[in-house]
Amino acid sequence: MVDRNLFREFQINDDDLVAVLGEDFEVPDEVYVKETVDVNEIVTGKVLRINGDEVLVDIGYKSEGIVLLDEWDEEEGEPEPGDTVDVLLEDVADTHGLILLSKRKADRIREWEAVTAKHGEGDVVVGEVLRKIKGGLLVDIGVNVFLPASQVDIRRPPDIGLWVGKDIECLILKVDESRRNIVVSRRKLIEERRKEMKDKLLTKINEGDKVKGVVKNIADFGAFVDLGGIDGLLHITDMSWGRIGHPTEMVSIDEELEVVILNIDHENEKIALGLKQKFPSPWDNVETKYPVETKVKGEVVNVMPYGAFVKLEDGIEGLVHISEMSWTKRINHPTELVNIGDEVEVVVLGINNQKQEISLGMKQTQPNPWDEVAANYPVGKKVTGVVRNLTNYGAFVELQEGVDGLLHVSDMSWTRKLSHANEMLKKGDEVECEILSVDEERRRIALGLKQLEGDPWATDIPTRYAAGSIVKGTVTKITNFGVFVELETELEGLLHVSELTEDKVENAEEVVEVGQEIEVKILRVDTEERKIGLSRRLDAPIEELTAAAGGGGGGGDAKTSQELRGGTGGDSGPLFSMGGGGTATEEQVEAEAQVETEEEVETEAVDAEATSTEEETEVAEEPAAEAEAEAETETSEEVSAESEAEEVAEDPADEASDDGAEDEEKS
């Protein structure tokens, strides 16, 4: 055999061999030597020997090529002399013809060619996830391909690294021949398959069907369940008849569930699911289990500003409104009495099965103090209480815990005119009163303070201010019809303009001024109307003054004794009525007796609170009671104003009568 190295040494090519040995001579493979080398060409070579970490490979060229030993995988093992191997001819390193080869690159090119020959864009491939790289995963489908993180699943998982080491099925999205790069998507494949399954599923299922699914995602408001092609929403309110704080208390990711189809929205491809609907509703026989007025025990599961929710059993909760918690305590917030987790005894007040609502009461388990109010506080009884609140129409006096009475301003003093209760009382004062009336049904008690003393208009005032007596007083107010004179503290009389002097006076301010002390004569005291008539004509006998008041000369214009300006009848004339100190009319007494207590106002105003927000249900107790009292009861100032207005209206007529009498006398 011809030594091939000999030919190499002398660089004899094929043509020279044929010229020497003849045309019929065939050059053996082992002595064939390539004339040129094509870079980036894949060739087959034979392993000659291993020098350290280099492998010498004969590719049929005048010099051997070198492949690094680490390009053989551990699974392949080290090469042996004589092994054939495909390599990529990368470069000729120097002038001596040293050739650089790469087995790894050649393998990749062969693999790429094999994959692209078999698969194209849109094809489904299966590969193992090798590792997590920037932006996604590296998947081996015969060649390494890129799976972006956004294409791993329909909903991006929290950690895509969980897929490493798993075999996954993907769809080829793009093949880049120039870069030998392939991008795949698992999400696209799932979406296409789910669409087929969804279309099929929507034609099969109906509302009320029970189906199986797998929990794929959990949110605060519920869980998404994969029914096989489409996700349905299992809302938190449809998971259990009982109260749950979060869906994770009932379900977990990848859990298989049997659920009920509650609703199907074909247009928007949405399905509502239910879990609790697989079991009977505890509200089905609620009236039988919890009859109205029965006592039951329950657990406080939630507390709101307007009340507390009490669980009677799983799925059945009732509301104890704040107004139903205590007969006696004034509660600003339910936490003053109960907290979550407390076991309480309640009474069933009402059931609304349609709305699935139960009204409960805590105070009904205790005696109602108002049941014994009539016996404990009979009309006329003297009682002692503490002033709890003051308004312009009166004072609320606490007689016992949970029982208040209203002391109206008109029942505080016989003579004093009050515009606000704080002119006589202050919060915290202990005050003795008399029970004027009791309304058990409306839970109202009317109190009186002035009733503890005798009425001075029936005793002292007529005696101390007898008709004809001369007294001193201070001018407090001047009007167009007369002058108000304070005879003593809280007691005034009216000095009519016609009684200021012997002569006719057009303007009272020309004769007297506010603050001036003057002497006046008592014309008459009307105890019924609580008025005192005065005159400044001190020298004239009382009979003459009274006679002069009668018209003095007869004639058709003479007034009756009830209409005389010096008399006491009617609402006109020179008598002054103490609006705050007089006895209220029958209508006023009735209105005062019906003034609501603050607690009742609060109760009525917040009845709808359980279905509204806290801001909508808060009630200003005192203003509400005040508004009602003001609407129903005349204040002392209004009584006084009416009297004055009527006096003003009557005075011109009286003056006209006076003028007529004078003219008659002159004639």
Side-chain angles (χ1 to χ4, degrees):
M1 177 177 290
V2 179
D3 187 355
R4 61 183 293 180
N5 291 326
L6 179 63
F7 291 100
R8 287 183 179 175
E9 184 178 351
F10 293 100
Q11 298 184 358
I12 300 175
N13 57 31
D14 294 349
D15 294 337
D16 294 335
L17 288 174
V18 173
V20 174
L21 302 176
E23 294 181 358
D24 295 332
F25 177 78
E26 294 181 2
V27 180
D29 291 337
E30 60 269 19
V31 297
Y32 181 78
V33 179
K34 287 187 176 181
E35 184 70 22
T36 59
V37 177
D38 294 328
V39 177
N40 293 327
E41 178 185 356
I42 294 178
V43 296
T44 302
K46 182 180 292 185
V47 177
L48 297 178
R49 61 184 179 275
I50 300 174
N51 293 332
D53 59 353
E54 295 180 346
V55 179
L56 270 66
V57 178
D58 180 11
I59 61 170
Y61 188 58
K62 59 184 178 180
S63 61
E64 293 84 1
I66 296 176
V67 181
L68 295 178
L69 183 60
D70 61 6
E71 293 197 17
W72 273 263
D73 297 333
E74 293 182 2
E75 296 178 358
E76 297 175 313
E78 290 189 1
E80 296 291 337
D83 291 348
T84 58
V85 60
D86 285 343
V87 291
L88 178 68
L89 214 153
E90 289 190 293
D91 195 9
V92 177
D94 55 30
T95 56
H96 298 289
L98 182 62
I99 301 174
L100 298 180
L101 306 174
S102 173
K103 173 183 178 298
R104 181 177 293 135
K105 292 182 179 180
D107 290 343
R108 289 179 179 175
I109 293 174
R110 294 299 190 204
E111 291 169 354
W112 171 266
E113 292 173 347
V115 169
T116 54
K118 186 178 181 181
H119 301 292
E121 292 181 359
D123 288 350
V124 177
V125 292
V126 178
E128 179 186 359
V129 179
L130 299 177
R131 63 181 180 276
K132 180 179 177 181
I133 60 176
K134 183 179 179 180
L137 298 172
L138 195 64
V139 182
D140 181 11
I141 64 169
V143 293
N144 293 343
V145 297
F146 178 60
L147 173 59
S150 62
Q151 300 298 317
V152 173
D153 206 344
I154 294 177
R155 296 181 183 86
R156 184 166 180 171
D159 182 12
I160 61 174
L162 298 175
W163 293 93
V164 175
K166 296 181 180 179
D167 288 337
I168 60 173
E169 207 172 13
C170 304
L171 187 73
I172 296 178
L173 290 182
K174 183 178 181 181
V175 178
D176 189 340
E177 292 282 355
S178 61
R179 296 184 179 181
R180 292 194 178 94
N181 184 29
I182 296 178
V183 179
V184 296
S185 171
R186 179 174 177 270
R187 174 180 176 176
K188 183 71 172 177
L189 179 62
I190 293 174
E191 288 176 345
E192 290 184 356
R193 290 180 176 176
R194 284 175 63 86
K195 186 177 186 309
E196 296 176 2
M197 296 170 65
K198 176 179 64 178
D199 295 341
K200 184 178 180 181
L201 183 66
L202 287 173
T203 60
K204 291 171 56 178
I205 59 175
N206 298 291
E207 293 181 5
D209 289 351
K210 292 182 180 180
V211 295
K212 289 186 178 181
V214 178
V215 179
K216 289 300 181 184
N217 195 23
I218 297 177
D220 292 337
F221 54 84
F224 291 94
V225 181
D226 184 1
L227 304 178
I230 187 172
D231 285 353
L233 175 61
L234 175 59
H235 199 270
I236 187 173
T237 57
D238 291 310
M239 289 184 175
S240 172
W241 292 110
R243 178 186 291 267
I244 60 173
H246 195 271
T248 51
E249 297 176 22
M250 295 292 298
V251 298
S252 57
I253 297 291
D254 293 332
E255 180 183 358
E256 187 176 64
L257 297 175
E258 185 181 54
V259 291
V260 177
I261 304 293
L262 301 182
N263 179 263
I264 302 174
D265 184 347
H266 289 276
E267 182 177 352
N268 296 308
E269 296 182 345
K270 294 182 179 179
I271 299 177
L273 307 175
L275 192 59
K276 70 181 184 182
Q277 286 76 6
K278 293 169 56 180
F279 310 98
S281 170
W283 287 87
D284 290 344
N285 302 312
V286 68
E287 294 93 344
T288 305
K289 291 185 289 186
Y290 303 102
V292 174
E293 297 185 357
T294 57
K295 289 184 181 180
V296 292
K297 289 186 177 181
E299 179 187 355
V300 178
V301 293
N302 196 19
V303 178
M304 300 297 287
Y306 52 81
F309 289 93
V310 177
K311 182 178 76 172
L312 306 182
E313 64 175 79
D314 284 341
I316 295 185
E317 295 177 4
L319 173 66
V320 181
H321 194 269
I322 191 172
S323 62
E324 303 294 344
M325 289 187 167
S326 175
W327 294 112
T328 58
K329 293 183 179 179
R330 295 173 184 86
I331 305 169
N332 296 317
H333 197 278
T335 51
E336 296 175 17
L337 288 181
V338 296
N339 290 290
I340 294 176
D342 290 351
E343 185 179 69
V344 294
E345 187 176 39
V346 293
V347 172
V348 179
L349 304 181
I351 297 176
N352 187 332
N353 206 338
Q354 184 178 359
K355 293 184 177 180
Q356 296 188 348
E357 296 174 350
I358 297 182
S359 299
L360 304 174
M362 287 172 55
K363 69 183 183 183
Q364 287 75 8
T365 61
Q366 304 294 328
N368 183 0
W370 279 92
D371 293 341
E372 301 176 356
V373 161
N376 294 337
Y377 302 101
V379 174
K381 180 180 179 179
K382 292 179 176 60
V383 294
T384 301
V386 177
V387 176
R388 191 175 60 79
N389 196 26
L390 298 170
T391 68
N392 63 344
Y393 58 86
F396 286 96
V397 180
E398 185 178 53
L399 305 180
Q400 68 178 67
E401 191 174 24
V403 178
D404 286 355
L406 175 65
L407 174 58
H408 198 271
V409 288
S410 63
D411 289 310
M412 290 184 178
S413 174
W414 290 109
T415 59
R416 188 173 178 181
K417 181 166 60 175
L418 302 173
S419 59
H420 197 285
N422 60 13
E423 296 176 20
M424 283 194 67
L425 302 170
K426 62 179 182 294
K427 285 186 180 181
D429 283 353
E430 188 173 80
V431 60
E432 186 180 23
C433 302
E434 182 178 315
I435 303 295
L436 301 183
S437 66
V438 177
D439 187 342
E440 282 188 272
E441 184 178 350
R442 304 179 72 178
R443 296 182 180 177
R444 296 167 182 167
I445 298 177
L447 304 175
L449 182 61
K450 70 182 184 182
Q451 287 79 3
L452 297 176
E453 302 175 354
D455 184 358
W457 285 95
T459 56
D460 297 347
I461 291 177
T463 302
R464 287 186 285 114
Y465 299 98
S469 61
I470 297 175
V471 296
K472 289 184 178 182
T474 303
V475 175
T476 58
K477 184 179 180 182
I478 300 176
T479 68
N480 61 346
F481 58 84
V483 177
F484 289 94
V485 180
E486 184 181 50
L487 304 178
E488 61 181 68
T489 303
E490 301 180 3
L491 181 64
E492 291 180 344
L494 176 64
L495 175 60
H496 195 269
V497 67
S498 63
E499 298 294 338
L500 281 172
T501 64
E502 295 288 344
D503 300 325
K504 183 176 179 181
V505 177
E506 296 292 341
N507 187 356
E509 292 181 346
E510 298 175 357
V511 180
V512 295
E513 60 184 16
V514 174
Q516 179 182 349
E517 187 177 63
I518 60 175
E519 283 189 333
V520 291
K521 180 179 285 189
I522 305 298
L523 291 182
R524 188 167 300 178
V525 177
D526 188 338
T527 57
E528 183 179 349
E529 295 293 332
R530 300 177 185 273
K531 299 177 181 179
I532 298 178
L534 306 175
S535 174
R536 208 178 177 206
R537 295 191 290 167
L538 305 180
D539 296 335
I542 187 67
E543 295 80 3
E544 180 183 335
L545 294 174
T546 304
D557 295 331
K559 302 289 184 181
T560 66
S561 60
Q562 291 283 325
E563 298 169 317
L564 296 179
R565 64 176 177 269
T568 60
D571 294 326
S572 62
L575 303 184
F576 174 63
S577 173
M578 296 296 294
T583 301
T585 65
E586 181 179 356
E587 292 77 13
Q588 289 175 311
V589 172
E590 174 68 18
E592 292 162 9
Q594 294 179 357
V595 173
E596 293 185 339
T597 66
E598 293 175 306
E599 185 175 357
E600 289 173 322
V601 172
E602 177 185 8
T603 301
E604 293 174 5
V606 297
D607 278 342
E609 231 175 313
T611 55
S612 62
T613 62
E614 178 180 358
E615 290 76 14
E616 294 169 333
T617 56
E618 286 184 343
V619 177
E621 303 171 355
E622 297 164 10
E626 177 181 337
E628 181 178 347
E630 289 178 345
E632 296 180 354
T633 309
E634 280 187 321
T635 65
S636 59
E637 292 180 343
E638 291 173 335
V639 174
S640 176
E642 288 176 1
S643 298
E644 293 179 13
E646 290 168 347
E647 287 171 346
V648 172
E650 291 288 331
D651 286 335
D654 288 327
E655 290 185 306
S657 176
D658 292 340
D659 294 339
E662 281 187 74
D663 294 340
E664 195 173 51
E665 287 177 1
K666 291 178 182 178
S667 61

